[in-house]
Amino acid sequence: MKILFAFLLIIFLSFSGYHLSFRKFGIPLFARTFYLTGLEFLFIGLLLGPQFLNILDVNTCGVLAPVTALLLGWIGMLFGFQFEISKLRRFPRIDFIAGLLEGFLTLVVVFCGIYFILPFILEISAHMRIVMSVMLASAAACTAQTGLAMLSARQIGRNQSIVQILRYLSSIDGLVAMLVLTPVFVFLPRHSGMAATRFFFEYHILIAVISFAGMLILYNLFLVYRREQSELNLIIIGMVIFISGFSSVMNFSPLLSNFFVGVCLVNLTGEKEKIYTTLISIEKPVYLLLLVFLGSAWYLENFWAIAIAAGYCLLRLLGKMIGGLSISFLGAKMQAYPPTLGLGLIGQGGLPFAVLFDFQQGFQSEVTDAVVGIALISIIFSDVMSSNLVGRLLKKGV
């Protein structure tokens, strides 16, 4: 009974709450950040979690694991649909390279910092040290347009070129995170006792590749003929459910598997516009549901977690500044942008939440929960600061 009540409650909260979130009310800028990003649902999840009301306790969330896998799969599929090759070719190649370079350098800076600092903070195995460093670095590489969404039309109009490159970079650097995360789930299995080389050279990887190719062929056959939107909705929902469930059984990431399927489908099928319409139609409720589940497992232990989160946030800021500065070395066109371009790339958005939740579900432990909790605080810091930093960047770039 409790499980049914918890499920209906979070569904009600997500579908009713998104009508209030993501809107510019006449409220202070700090509070507006929460409404525009849905961050208040993290705290709703925290309230429903074991530390307070205990509605979403460990057992309840365990039973609802198929739902969480579906959420991750839906986000992965939707993100994969952003990378249609024909549309990417409309932009200059140098912009795409700049996005990859900025995201990669941010990831490298954050990875190196976390990898060398972690042993002084936590007692973890070498296996988990690499996994945590990659996961946190991948989350740090992602950028959203949080700060840009709070700017006035006048500010944007005077800085069209800078705003355009910031929007493009924020859509590309998430690709770096997805590509770097893949080897973690392939070479570093969730059970640290399993040797990575054994995992790779045994039949597991072969089964995964064959299954992935089989699913692509199967769903492309479904999509050969034009279908009504209602039929297509059933196919897409079934596709995400099946891929997410299969990934969970294979101890792989539902987020990554659906991401790669999404990339392939958007470049292979002629029904991509209808599929995207289906995926985007419930993007906000899915995102808010994810925040509720993530918040329910959020443990706020002591002040030191806030201090460490601030350090992680500063490390990410350093990475973004280096990444933004580096693109000026790609040619005369990029030199026209200010060297402090990284200030406009501080907001993290929704994809890091999916990365962290996928990490938390895949590598469950008390240490994982603590690390994810610290990362959540850091994301809040980043999103709150982003609008101010973007404003400073555009003021200098005028």
Side-chain angles (χ1 to χ4, degrees):
M1 190 66 181
K2 181 181 179 181
I3 295 171
L4 179 60
F5 172 74
F7 178 71
L8 293 177
L9 177 62
I10 60 177
I11 292 294
F12 171 77
L13 286 173
S14 61
F15 277 92
S16 60
Y18 98 92
H19 290 288
L20 298 176
S21 295
F22 315 110
R23 282 165 170 76
K24 292 185 179 180
F25 294 117
I27 54 178
L29 182 62
F30 175 83
R32 199 183 310 164
T33 301
F34 285 82
Y35 276 102
L36 284 173
T37 58
L39 288 177
E40 71 272 14
F41 278 79
L42 264 180
F43 296 95
I44 292 176
L46 179 64
L47 180 64
L48 297 176
Q51 297 187 75
F52 293 96
L53 299 179
N54 200 34
I55 295 176
L56 290 176
D57 56 18
V58 176
N59 293 332
T60 302
C61 290
V63 175
L64 295 176
V67 178
T68 59
L70 174 60
L71 297 178
L72 289 171
W74 200 273
I75 293 172
M77 183 76 73
L78 180 59
F79 186 66
F81 260 71
Q82 297 183 23
F83 297 96
E84 185 179 353
I85 296 176
S86 60
K87 291 185 178 179
L88 291 175
R89 286 177 177 173
R90 298 175 186 175
F91 296 89
R93 186 177 300 177
I94 192 69
D95 290 0
F96 184 74
I97 296 174
L100 293 179
L101 178 64
E102 175 270 315
F104 179 74
L105 287 180
T106 301
L107 191 144
V108 170
V109 170
V110 176
F111 174 83
C112 293
I114 293 174
Y115 185 80
F116 289 110
I117 293 173
L118 264 181
F120 298 99
I121 302 175
L122 299 171
E123 293 183 5
I124 53 176
S125 64
H127 171 268
M128 285 304 298
R129 183 182 177 187
I130 296 174
V131 171
M132 286 185 179
S133 299
V134 173
M135 288 290 177
L136 292 175
S138 298
C142 302
T143 307
Q145 300 174 19
T146 308
L148 295 177
M150 299 184 194
L151 297 177
S152 65
R154 183 180 177 184
Q155 287 176 296
I156 294 176
R158 292 183 300 175
N159 299 274
Q160 282 290 343
S161 61
I162 297 178
V163 171
Q164 184 177 1
I165 191 64
L166 287 176
R167 286 174 173 167
Y168 187 80
L169 293 177
S170 66
S171 64
I172 295 298
D173 53 14
L175 176 62
V176 177
M178 294 292 102
L179 295 178
V180 172
L181 280 175
T182 304
V184 171
F185 285 93
V186 173
F187 295 103
L188 296 174
R190 304 185 183 200
H191 304 288
S192 57
M194 186 186 299
T197 53
R198 182 182 176 187
F199 177 81
F200 179 74
F201 287 107
E202 279 193 352
Y203 64 91
H204 299 84
I205 190 66
L206 181 61
I207 291 177
V209 172
I210 294 175
S211 301
F212 181 79
M215 284 187 290
L216 277 180
I217 295 172
L218 175 64
Y219 287 118
N220 271 289
L221 290 175
F222 274 121
L223 301 172
V224 167
Y225 301 104
R226 293 193 174 275
R227 299 179 181 273
E228 296 294 331
Q229 187 68 51
S230 58
E231 294 180 334
L232 199 59
N233 291 345
L234 289 176
I235 293 174
I236 299 306
I237 294 172
M239 179 192 309
V240 177
I241 291 175
F242 179 76
I243 296 173
S244 301
F246 182 78
S247 300
S248 299
V249 171
M250 292 294 294
N251 285 329
F252 193 70
S253 162
L255 178 70
L256 289 174
S257 56
N258 280 277
F259 166 73
F260 287 114
V261 171
V263 172
C264 293
L265 285 179
V266 77
N267 290 288
L268 294 176
T269 180
E271 298 279 14
K272 53 195 171 188
E273 298 297 337
K274 289 184 178 179
I275 296 176
Y276 183 76
T277 300
T278 301
L279 293 172
I280 201 67
S281 63
I282 59 170
E283 174 201 15
K284 292 177 182 178
V286 165
Y287 169 61
L288 296 180
L289 268 175
L290 177 69
L291 291 182
V292 171
F293 277 110
L294 198 52
S296 68
W298 186 10
Y299 290 93
L300 300 174
E301 296 184 354
N302 49 47
F303 172 78
W304 288 110
I306 299 177
I308 296 172
Y312 173 52
C313 184
L314 291 175
L315 182 62
R316 180 177 178 272
L317 176 61
L318 174 63
K320 286 296 179 182
M321 292 299 295
I322 293 175
L325 177 63
S326 67
I327 69 174
S328 62
F329 296 99
L330 294 177
K333 179 188 175 182
M334 294 300 167
Q335 290 175 0
Y337 300 116
T340 56
L341 196 63
L343 291 175
L345 301 169
I346 302 304
Q348 291 189 255
L351 185 59
F353 290 120
V355 170
L356 292 173
F357 190 65
D358 196 19
F359 165 53
Q360 190 175 45
Q361 295 299 299
F363 301 87
Q364 295 181 1
S365 69
E366 292 184 1
V367 175
T368 299
D369 293 338
V371 170
V372 170
I374 291 171
L376 291 178
I377 299 173
S378 176
I379 292 177
I380 294 174
F381 288 162
S382 297
D383 285 347
V384 169
M385 292 190 306
S386 62
S387 58
N388 188 290
L389 295 177
V390 172
R392 289 176 178 272
L393 169 65
L394 296 186
K395 187 175 180 180
K396 293 179 180 179
V398 173

